[in-house]
Amino acid sequence: MTAIEPEKRDLFPRDRQPTVRILAMPAHANPNGNIFGGWIMAQMDVAGGVVALEYAGGPVSTVAVTSMEFHRPVNVGDLVSCFARIQKVGSTSITVKVEVFAQRAHDGVLESTKVTEAVIVYVAIGKDGMPSKLPERGPDFGQYW
Ligand SMILES: CC(C)(COP(=O)(O)OP(=O)(O)OC[C@H]1O[C@@H](n2cnc3c(N)ncnc32)[C@H](O)[C@@H]1OP(=O)(O)O)[C@@H](O)C(=O)NCCC(=O)NCCS
């Protein structure tokens, strides 16, 4: 198993909780043997959608991915953690920054590095399927993200 480069080791955030954690399985690999980017994007969309739904207090739809960067490959067997944090709240939209860290076992320790990040926009959806006004939330809302 390839080690994470020394300067990139142990970057895992200790001051927040990941929204999604999942093991990268062989079934998620691309023909190069690394993990398929589309699978990583799906985990990120779920993580962003969770915090957006919590904020909205109801259903949300993904309306845009305004940036997406793949910094490092993810290997089969990596523990993948998606950290989602609300960046901006509009009238009906919630912009969420999602950062993904891979943890990889090497010589008895878990090394970690940031592999991917994206900014994803969600829209609160009303019963009519149209954008719905977001509720007011206090400044402490979602502090643990
Ligand atoms: C989500 C949807 C209902 C929004 O309808 P819409 O007519 O585009 O909505 P609006 O133009 O009124 O925009 C709603 C909000 O989204 C924001 N928005 C819309 N398109 C955006 C884009 N490309 N980038 C960033 N924000 C965007 C608007 O700025 C607005 O934010 P605000 O109310 O906070 O100011 C509609 O686009 C839709 O159904 N899209 C398909 C969603 C989907 O299937 N997603 C994948 C599965 S979840």
Coordinates of all heavy atoms in Angstrom, one line a residue, residues 40-116:
I40 N -16.5 9.4 -5.3 CA -16.2 10.4 -4.2 C -17.1 11.6 -4.3 O -17.6 12.1 -3.3 CB -14.7 10.9 -4.5 CG1 -13.7 9.7 -4.4 CG2 -14.3 12.0 -3.5 CD1 -12.3 10.0 -4.9
M41 N -17.5 12.0 -5.5 CA -18.4 13.2 -5.7 C -19.8 12.8 -5.1 O -20.4 13.7 -4.4 CB -18.6 13.5 -7.1 CG -17.3 14.2 -7.7 SD -17.3 14.2 -9.5 CE -18.4 15.5 -9.8
A42 N -20.2 11.6 -5.2 CA -21.5 11.2 -4.6 C -21.5 11.3 -3.1 O -22.4 11.8 -2.5 CB -21.9 9.7 -5.1
Q43 N -20.3 10.9 -2.5 CA -20.2 10.9 -1.0 C -20.2 12.4 -0.6 O -20.8 12.8 0.4 CB -18.9 10.3 -0.5 CG -18.6 8.9 -1.0 CD -19.8 8.0 -1.0 OE1 -20.5 7.9 0.1 NE2 -20.2 7.3 -2.1
M44 N -19.6 13.3 -1.4 CA -19.5 14.7 -1.1 C -20.9 15.3 -1.2 O -21.3 16.2 -0.3 CB -18.6 15.4 -2.0 CG -17.1 14.9 -1.9 SD -16.0 15.6 -3.1 CE -15.7 17.2 -2.4
D45 N -21.7 14.9 -2.2 CA -23.0 15.5 -2.4 C -23.9 15.0 -1.2 O -24.7 15.8 -0.7 CB -23.6 15.0 -3.7 CG -24.8 15.7 -4.1 OD1 -25.1 16.8 -3.6 OD2 -25.6 15.2 -4.9
V46 N -23.7 13.8 -0.7 CA -24.5 13.3 0.5 C -24.1 14.2 1.7 O -25.0 14.7 2.4 CB -24.2 11.8 0.7 CG1 -24.8 11.4 2.1 CG2 -24.8 11.0 -0.4
A47 N -22.8 14.4 1.9 CA -22.4 15.1 3.1 C -22.9 16.6 3.1 O -23.4 17.1 4.1 CB -20.8 15.1 3.2
G48 N -22.8 17.2 1.9 CA -23.3 18.6 1.8 C -24.8 18.6 2.0 O -25.3 19.5 2.6
G49 N -25.4 17.6 1.4 CA -26.9 17.6 1.5 C -27.4 17.4 2.9 O -28.5 17.9 3.3
V50 N -26.6 16.7 3.7 CA -27.0 16.4 5.1 C -27.0 17.7 5.9 O -28.0 18.1 6.6 CB -26.0 15.4 5.8 CG1 -26.2 15.4 7.3 CG2 -26.3 14.0 5.3
V51 N -26.0 18.5 5.8 CA -26.0 19.8 6.5 C -27.0 20.8 6.0 O -27.6 21.6 6.7 CB -24.5 20.4 6.7 CG1 -23.6 19.5 7.4 CG2 -24.0 20.8 5.4
A52 N -27.2 20.8 4.6 CA -28.2 21.7 4.0 C -29.6 21.3 4.5 O -30.4 22.2 4.9 CB -28.1 21.6 2.5
L53 N -29.8 20.0 4.6 CA -31.1 19.5 5.0 C -31.4 19.9 6.5 O -32.5 20.3 6.9 CB -31.3 18.0 4.8 CG -32.6 17.3 5.2 CD1 -32.8 16.2 4.3 CD2 -32.6 16.8 6.6
E54 N -30.3 19.7 7.3 CA -30.4 20.1 8.7 C -30.8 21.6 8.8 O -31.6 22.0 9.7 CB -29.1 19.8 9.5 CG -29.0 18.3 9.8 CD -27.9 18.1 10.8 OE1 -26.8 18.4 10.5 OE2 -28.2 17.6 11.9
Y55 N -30.1 22.4 8.0 CA -30.3 23.8 8.1 C -31.7 24.2 7.6 O -32.5 24.9 8.3 CB -29.3 24.6 7.3 CG -29.4 26.1 7.5 CD1 -28.6 26.8 8.5 CD2 -30.4 26.9 6.9 CE1 -28.8 28.1 8.7 CE2 -30.6 28.2 7.2 CZ -29.7 28.8 8.1 OH -29.9 30.2 8.4
A56 N -32.1 23.6 6.5 CA -33.4 23.9 5.9 C -34.6 23.3 6.7 O -35.7 23.9 6.7 CB -33.5 23.3 4.5
G57 N -34.3 22.2 7.4 CA -35.4 21.6 8.2 C -36.4 20.9 7.2 O -37.5 20.7 7.6
G58 N -35.9 20.6 6.0 CA -36.8 20.0 5.0 C -35.9 19.6 3.8 O -34.7 19.8 3.8
P59 N -36.6 19.1 2.8 CA -35.8 18.6 1.6 C -35.1 19.7 0.9 O -35.5 20.9 0.8 CB -36.9 18.0 0.7 CG -38.2 18.4 1.3 CD -38.0 18.9 2.7
V60 N -34.0 19.3 0.3 CA -33.1 20.2 -0.5 C -32.8 19.5 -1.8 O -32.7 18.2 -1.8 CB -31.8 20.6 0.2 CG1 -32.1 21.5 1.5 CG2 -31.0 19.4 0.6
S61 N -32.5 20.2 -2.8 CA -32.0 19.7 -4.1 C -30.6 20.3 -4.4 O -30.4 21.5 -4.1 CB -32.9 20.0 -5.3 OG -33.8 19.0 -5.5
T62 N -29.8 19.5 -5.0 CA -28.5 20.1 -5.4 C -28.7 20.9 -6.7 O -29.3 20.3 -7.7 CB -27.5 18.9 -5.7 OG1 -27.5 18.0 -4.7 CG2 -26.1 19.4 -6.0
V63 N -28.3 22.1 -6.7 CA -28.6 23.0 -7.9 C -27.3 23.2 -8.6 O -27.3 23.4 -9.9 CB -29.3 24.3 -7.6 CG1 -28.4 25.3 -6.9 CG2 -30.0 24.8 -8.8
A64 N -26.1 23.3 -7.9 CA -24.9 23.6 -8.6 C -23.7 23.1 -7.8 O -23.7 23.0 -6.6 CB -24.7 25.1 -8.8
V65 N -22.6 22.7 -8.6 CA -21.3 22.4 -8.0 C -20.5 23.5 -8.6 O -20.1 23.5 -9.8 CB -20.8 21.0 -8.4 CG1 -19.4 20.8 -7.8 CG2 -21.7 19.9 -7.9
T66 N -20.1 24.5 -7.7 CA -19.5 25.7 -8.3 C -17.9 25.5 -8.4 O -17.3 26.3 -9.1 CB -19.8 27.0 -7.5 OG1 -19.5 26.8 -6.2 CG2 -21.3 27.3 -7.6
S67 N -17.4 24.6 -7.6 CA -16.0 24.3 -7.8 C -15.8 22.8 -7.3 O -16.5 22.3 -6.4 CB -15.1 25.2 -7.0 OG -15.1 25.0 -5.6
M68 N -14.8 22.2 -7.9 CA -14.5 20.8 -7.5 C -13.0 20.6 -7.8 O -12.6 20.8 -9.0 CB -15.4 19.9 -8.3 CG -15.0 18.4 -8.3 SD -15.2 17.5 -6.8 CE -17.0 17.6 -6.7
E69 N -12.2 20.2 -6.8 CA -10.8 19.9 -7.1 C -10.4 18.6 -6.5 O -10.7 18.3 -5.3 CB -9.9 21.0 -6.4 CG -10.0 22.4 -7.0 CD -9.3 23.4 -6.1 OE1 -8.1 23.4 -6.1 OE2 -10.0 24.1 -5.3
F70 N -9.7 17.8 -7.3 CA -9.2 16.5 -6.9 C -7.7 16.7 -6.7 O -7.0 16.8 -7.7 CB -9.5 15.4 -7.9 CG -10.9 15.1 -8.1 CD1 -11.7 15.7 -9.0 CD2 -11.5 14.1 -7.2 CE1 -13.1 15.4 -9.2 CE2 -12.9 13.8 -7.4 CZ -13.7 14.5 -8.3
H71 N -7.3 16.7 -5.4 CA -5.8 17.0 -5.1 C -5.0 15.8 -5.2 O -3.9 15.8 -5.7 CB -5.7 17.6 -3.7 CG -6.5 18.9 -3.6 ND1 -6.2 20.0 -4.3 CD2 -7.5 19.2 -2.8 CE1 -7.0 21.0 -4.0 NE2 -7.8 20.5 -3.0
R72 N -5.5 14.7 -4.6 CA -4.7 13.4 -4.5 C -5.6 12.2 -4.8 O -6.8 12.3 -4.5 CB -4.2 13.2 -3.1 CG -3.4 14.4 -2.5 CD -2.0 14.6 -3.2 NE -1.3 13.3 -3.3 CZ -0.4 13.1 -4.2 NH1 -0.1 14.0 -5.2 NH2 0.3 11.9 -4.2
P73 N -5.1 11.1 -5.3 CA -6.0 10.0 -5.5 C -6.4 9.3 -4.2 O -5.6 9.4 -3.2 CB -5.1 9.0 -6.3 CG -3.7 9.5 -6.1 CD -3.7 10.9 -5.7
V74 N -7.5 8.6 -4.2 CA -7.9 7.8 -3.1 C -7.6 6.4 -3.4 O -7.9 5.9 -4.6 CB -9.4 8.0 -2.8 CG1 -9.9 7.1 -1.7 CG2 -9.7 9.5 -2.4
N75 N -7.1 5.6 -2.5 CA -6.8 4.2 -2.7 C -7.9 3.3 -2.2 O -8.6 3.7 -1.2 CB -5.5 3.8 -2.0 CG -4.2 4.4 -2.7 OD1 -4.3 5.1 -3.7 ND2 -3.1 4.2 -2.1
V76 N -8.0 2.1 -2.8 CA -8.8 1.1 -2.2 C -8.4 0.8 -0.7 O -7.2 0.7 -0.5 CB -8.8 -0.2 -3.0 CG1 -9.5 -1.4 -2.3 CG2 -9.4 0.0 -4.4
G77 N -9.3 0.8 0.2 CA -8.9 0.6 1.6 C -8.8 1.8 2.4 O -8.7 1.8 3.7
D78 N -8.7 3.0 1.8 CA -8.6 4.3 2.5 C -10.0 4.5 3.3 O -11.0 4.2 2.8 CB -8.4 5.4 1.5 CG -7.0 5.5 1.0 OD1 -6.2 4.7 1.4 OD2 -6.7 6.5 0.2
L79 N -9.8 5.1 4.4 CA -11.0 5.6 5.2 C -11.3 7.0 4.7 O -10.4 7.9 4.8 CB -10.7 5.5 6.7 CG -11.8 6.0 7.6 CD1 -13.1 5.3 7.4 CD2 -11.4 5.8 9.1
V80 N -12.4 7.2 4.1 CA -12.8 8.5 3.5 C -13.7 9.3 4.4 O -14.7 8.7 4.8 CB -13.4 8.2 2.1 CG1 -13.9 9.5 1.5 CG2 -12.4 7.5 1.2
S81 N -13.3 10.5 4.7 CA -14.2 11.3 5.6 C -14.5 12.6 4.9 O -13.6 13.3 4.5 CB -13.5 11.6 6.9 OG -13.2 10.5 7.6
C82 N -15.8 13.0 4.9 CA -16.2 14.2 4.2 C -16.7 15.2 5.3 O -17.6 14.9 6.1 CB -17.4 14.0 3.3 SG -17.1 12.8 2.0
F83 N -16.0 16.3 5.3 CA -16.3 17.4 6.3 C -17.1 18.5 5.5 O -16.6 19.1 4.6 CB -15.1 18.0 6.9 CG -14.3 17.1 7.8 CD1 -13.5 16.1 7.3 CD2 -14.5 17.2 9.2 CE1 -12.8 15.3 8.2 CE2 -13.8 16.4 10.0 CZ -12.9 15.4 9.5
A84 N -18.4 18.7 6.0 CA -19.2 19.7 5.3 C -19.5 20.9 6.2 O -19.8 20.7 7.4 CB -20.5 19.0 4.9
R85 N -19.4 22.1 5.7 CA -19.6 23.3 6.5 C -20.3 24.3 5.6 O -19.9 24.5 4.5 CB -18.2 23.8 6.9 CG -18.3 25.0 7.9 CD -17.0 25.4 8.4 NE -16.7 24.6 9.7 CZ -15.5 24.7 10.3 NH1 -14.5 25.5 9.8 NH2 -15.3 24.1 11.4
I86 N -21.4 24.9 6.2 CA -22.1 25.9 5.4 C -21.3 27.2 5.3 O -20.7 27.7 6.3 CB -23.4 26.2 6.2 CG1 -24.4 25.0 6.0 CG2 -24.1 27.5 5.6 CD1 -25.7 25.2 6.7
Q87 N -21.2 27.6 4.0 CA -20.4 28.9 3.7 C -21.3 30.1 3.7 O -20.9 31.2 4.1 CB -19.8 28.7 2.4 CG -18.3 28.3 2.4 CD -17.7 28.4 1.0 OE1 -18.4 28.5 0.0 NE2 -16.4 28.3 1.0
K88 N -22.5 29.9 3.1 CA -23.4 31.0 2.8 C -24.8 30.5 2.8 O -25.1 29.5 2.3 CB -23.0 31.6 1.5 CG -23.6 33.0 1.2 CD -23.0 33.5 -0.1 CE -24.0 33.2 -1.2 NZ -23.6 33.7 -2.5
V89 N -25.7 31.4 3.3 CA -27.1 31.1 3.3 C -27.8 32.2 2.6 O -27.6 33.4 2.9 CB -27.7 30.9 4.7 CG1 -29.2 30.7 4.6 CG2 -27.0 29.7 5.4
G90 N -28.6 31.9 1.5 CA -29.3 32.9 0.8 C -30.8 32.9 1.2 O -31.1 32.4 2.3
S91 N -31.6 33.3 0.3 CA -33.0 33.3 0.5 C -33.6 31.9 0.5 O -34.3 31.5 1.4 CB -33.7 34.2 -0.5 OG -35.1 34.1 -0.5
T92 N -33.2 31.1 -0.5 CA -33.6 29.7 -0.7 C -32.4 28.8 -0.8 O -32.6 27.6 -0.8 CB -34.5 29.5 -1.9 OG1 -33.8 29.8 -3.1 CG2 -35.7 30.5 -1.8
S93 N -31.2 29.3 -1.0 CA -30.1 28.4 -1.3 C -29.1 28.4 -0.1 O -28.9 29.4 0.6 CB -29.4 28.9 -2.5 OG -28.7 30.1 -2.3
I94 N -28.4 27.3 0.0 CA -27.4 27.1 1.0 C -26.1 26.6 0.3 O -26.1 25.6 -0.5 CB -27.8 26.0 2.0 CG1 -29.1 26.3 2.7 CG2 -26.7 25.7 3.1 CD1 -29.8 25.2 3.4
T95 N -25.0 27.3 0.5 CA -23.7 27.0 -0.2 C -22.9 26.3 0.9 O -22.7 26.8 2.0 CB -23.0 28.3 -0.7 OG1 -23.9 28.9 -1.6 CG2 -21.7 27.9 -1.4
V96 N -22.4 25.1 0.5 CA -21.7 24.2 1.4 C -20.3 23.9 0.9 O -20.2 23.5 -0.3 CB -22.5 22.9 1.7 CG1 -21.7 22.1 2.7 CG2 -23.9 23.2 2.1
K97 N -19.3 24.1 1.7 CA -17.9 23.7 1.4 C -17.7 22.2 1.9 O -18.0 22.0 3.1 CB -16.9 24.6 2.1 CG -15.5 24.2 1.9 CD -14.9 24.6 0.6 CE -13.5 24.2 0.4 NZ -12.6 25.3 0.7
V98 N -17.3 21.4 1.0 CA -17.1 20.0 1.5 C -15.6 19.6 1.2 O -15.1 19.8 0.1 CB -18.0 19.0 0.7 CG1 -17.8 17.5 1.2 CG2 -19.5 19.3 0.8
E99 N -14.9 19.2 2.3 CA -13.5 18.8 2.2 C -13.4 17.3 2.5 O -14.1 16.8 3.5 CB -12.7 19.6 3.2 CG -12.6 21.0 2.8 CD -11.9 21.8 3.9 OE1 -12.5 21.9 5.0 OE2 -10.8 22.3 3.7
V100 N -12.6 16.6 1.7 CA -12.5 15.1 1.9 C -11.1 14.8 2.3 O -10.2 15.2 1.6 CB -12.9 14.4 0.6 CG1 -12.9 12.9 0.8 CG2 -14.3 14.8 0.1
F101 N -11.0 14.0 3.3 CA -9.7 13.5 3.8 C -9.7 12.0 3.7 O -10.7 11.3 4.0 CB -9.5 13.9 5.3 CG -9.3 15.4 5.4 CD1 -10.4 16.2 5.4 CD2 -8.0 15.9 5.5 CE1 -10.2 17.6 5.5 CE2 -7.8 17.3 5.6 CZ -8.9 18.2 5.6
A102 N -8.5 11.5 3.2 CA -8.3 10.0 3.2 C -7.3 9.6 4.3 O -6.3 10.3 4.5 CB -7.7 9.6 1.9
Q103 N -7.7 8.6 5.1 CA -6.8 8.1 6.1 C -6.3 6.7 5.6 O -7.2 5.9 5.2 CB -7.5 8.0 7.4 CG -7.7 9.3 8.0 CD -8.5 9.2 9.3 OE1 -9.7 8.9 9.3 NE2 -7.8 9.5 10.5
R104 N -5.0 6.5 5.7 CA -4.5 5.2 5.1 C -3.5 4.6 6.2 O -2.7 5.3 6.7 CB -3.7 5.6 3.9 CG -3.2 4.5 3.0 CD -2.7 5.0 1.7 NE -3.7 5.8 1.0 CZ -3.4 6.7 0.1 NH1 -2.1 6.9 -0.3 NH2 -4.3 7.4 -0.5
A105 N -3.7 3.3 6.4 CA -2.9 2.6 7.4 C -1.5 2.4 6.8 O -1.3 1.9 5.7 CB -3.5 1.3 7.8
H106 N -0.4 2.8 7.6 CA 0.9 2.6 7.1 C 1.8 2.4 8.3 O 1.9 3.3 9.2 CB 1.4 3.8 6.3 CG 2.8 3.5 5.6 ND1 3.9 4.2 6.0 CD2 3.1 2.7 4.7 CE1 4.9 3.8 5.3 NE2 4.4 2.8 4.5
D107 N 2.5 1.3 8.4 CA 3.4 1.0 9.6 C 2.7 1.2 10.9 O 3.2 1.8 11.8 CB 4.6 1.9 9.5 CG 5.6 1.4 8.5 OD1 5.5 0.2 8.0 OD2 6.5 2.2 8.1
G108 N 1.4 0.7 11.0 CA 0.7 0.7 12.2 C 0.1 2.1 12.6 O -0.5 2.2 13.7
V109 N 0.2 3.1 11.8 CA -0.5 4.4 12.1 C -1.4 4.8 10.9 O -1.1 4.3 9.7 CB 0.5 5.5 12.3 CG1 1.3 5.3 13.6 CG2 1.5 5.7 11.2
L110 N -2.4 5.6 11.2 CA -3.2 6.1 10.1 C -2.7 7.4 9.7 O -2.6 8.4 10.4 CB -4.7 6.3 10.6 CG -5.6 5.1 10.7 CD1 -7.0 5.6 11.1 CD2 -5.6 4.4 9.3
E111 N -2.2 7.5 8.4 CA -1.8 8.8 7.9 C -3.0 9.4 7.1 O -3.8 8.7 6.7 CB -0.6 8.5 6.9 CG 0.6 7.9 7.5 CD 1.7 7.5 6.5 OE1 1.4 7.5 5.3 OE2 2.8 7.2 7.0
S112 N -3.0 10.7 7.0 CA -4.1 11.3 6.4 C -3.7 12.5 5.5 O -2.7 13.1 5.7 CB -5.1 11.8 7.4 OG -4.5 12.9 8.1
T113 N -4.5 12.7 4.5 CA -4.3 13.9 3.6 C -5.6 14.4 3.1 O -6.6 13.6 3.0 CB -3.3 13.6 2.5 OG1 -2.8 14.8 1.9 CG2 -3.9 12.7 1.5
K114 N -5.6 15.7 2.7 CA -6.9 16.2 2.0 C -6.8 15.7 0.6 O -5.8 16.0 -0.1 CB -6.9 17.7 2.1 CG -8.2 18.2 1.4 CD -8.7 19.5 2.1 CE -8.0 20.7 1.6 NZ -8.7 21.9 2.1
V115 N -7.8 15.0 0.1 CA -7.8 14.5 -1.3 C -8.7 15.3 -2.2 O -8.4 15.4 -3.4 CB -8.2 13.0 -1.3 CG1 -7.1 12.2 -0.7 CG2 -9.5 12.8 -0.6
T116 N -9.8 15.9 -1.7 CA -10.7 16.5 -2.6 C -11.5 17.6 -1.9 O -11.6 17.5 -0.7 CB -11.8 15.5 -3.1 OG1 -11.1 14.4 -3.6 CG2 -12.7 16.0 -4.2

